[in-house]
Amino acid sequence: MSKTGDFFSTPAFKLILLTGMVLQNSATVLVGRYTRSCPVDDLYVVNHLILVTEIGKLVLSCMFEYVSTNGGLVQSIKANCIERPWDALKIMIPALLYLVQNSLLYTALPNLTAPVFQVTYQGKLVTTAIVSILMLNRKYSFQQLICLVVLSVGVAVVVLGESGGSSSSSAESVGDQAPQSLVLGLTAVNIACLSSALAGVYFEKLVKTSSSSEKQKPVSVWMRNFQLAFFTIWTAMLQGWWTNMGESEVDTKPYFHGFTSWVWILVGLQAGGGLLVAAVIKYADNVLMGLATGVSVCFATAVSTVLFGTPLSSQFSVGAYMILVSVYFFSNPVTKKEKVISSQNMPSHPDSPSGTPERILPK
């Protein structure tokens, strides 16, 4: 194995991925909420942002695929897309679901504070578990089921605490900024969680069934991201065209309207984040993703408190703590340690060679 391959399997590289995911998740939420807090007339169109972001993902995926195949990008596209069109078309379903998810997340961001958004979005762990049971017949341990219940209770504690103090603040607006709506924000988050679960589980089922049933060379992670970005671009263009049909020319905003420097930073975070998740899936595991998610919630909450002056109630702290603990123990199940009897206190079996102690199994 090359030195590069050895480095990718080291704890140092996994620590780099963990740090990158924490910074990317936290920065995306904070920057996204900041860009949606400007006056309504200066806001960018979410569909335009998604379209530009997916174009960035497409370009980055092509670059990584070109490097990983030693310049065989064209041959890889021909082998995985043109010669296997049905396999490529299967990616349209998660692409459409991811488009719905991203659109709803940008609806939720201006209606929820960054800590509440981060915490309630952890509900996707529950929806993913339920969809995995239905679609993949996945089995969960008793500890993991308890964690899902605790996580649901923690989300309910946070939401109830937020709804108690949002009646006055939700009706207020700053300048031309639209007022916050807790109900709209929470509804968008819940549907986004369901879309994320359906897309992720379907994508996992697609990868596992194709790899086990087909004898062809498996599709690389970068090529899968290329296919996802390609179909998401087309669905975003169709969505934008359909939306513009119901609007007048005066109400229709041109492309790149409201694209400030912070919006372009958000585009880079979103485009790089998709490939970062792909790298975590390839070189690490879901435990690292769960850990990064929990750390990013704490980090984004602390930064939001400092930058935006977001008040944190004791009810929010209790609910957030319940969610972080449940996420950690769901991803890191406690293993029961076997009681190993010392060979000094263990009688030697008379028929065993050299009097070697033999494990006594319970009947």
Side-chain angles (χ1 to χ4, degrees), residues 77-86:
I77 294 177
K78 180 180 178 181
N80 297 298
C81 299
I82 300 176
E83 296 180 356
R84 302 168 63 185
W86 176 243

Side-chain angles (χ1 to χ4, degrees), residues 84 209-218:
R84 302 168 63 185
T209 53
S210 61
S211 61
S212 60
S213 60
E214 298 179 5
K215 297 181 180 180
Q216 300 179 359
K217 183 180 179 181

Side-chain angles (χ1 to χ4, degrees), residues 280-361:
V280 171
I281 294 174
K282 182 176 182 180
Y283 296 110
D285 49 28
N286 290 325
V287 175
L288 183 68
M289 293 184 63
L291 182 60
T293 301
V295 176
S296 65
V297 171
C298 300
F299 184 76
T301 300
V303 175
S304 178
T305 303
V306 175
L307 295 182
F308 303 124
T310 304
L312 299 180
S313 62
S314 58
Q315 194 166 353
F316 174 87
S317 301
V318 172
Y321 179 78
M322 295 172 63
I323 292 171
L324 292 177
V325 171
S326 60
V327 169
Y328 176 81
F329 283 105
F330 182 90
S331 304
N332 301 272
V334 178
T335 57
K336 295 182 179 180
K337 297 182 179 179
E338 285 187 341
K339 294 183 178 180
V340 180
I341 304 177
S342 175
S343 59
Q344 298 177 355
N345 302 327
M346 194 173 184
S348 300
H349 195 277
D351 297 331
S352 61
S354 304
T356 305
E358 184 172 272
R359 181 182 295 272
I360 301 178
L361 299 176

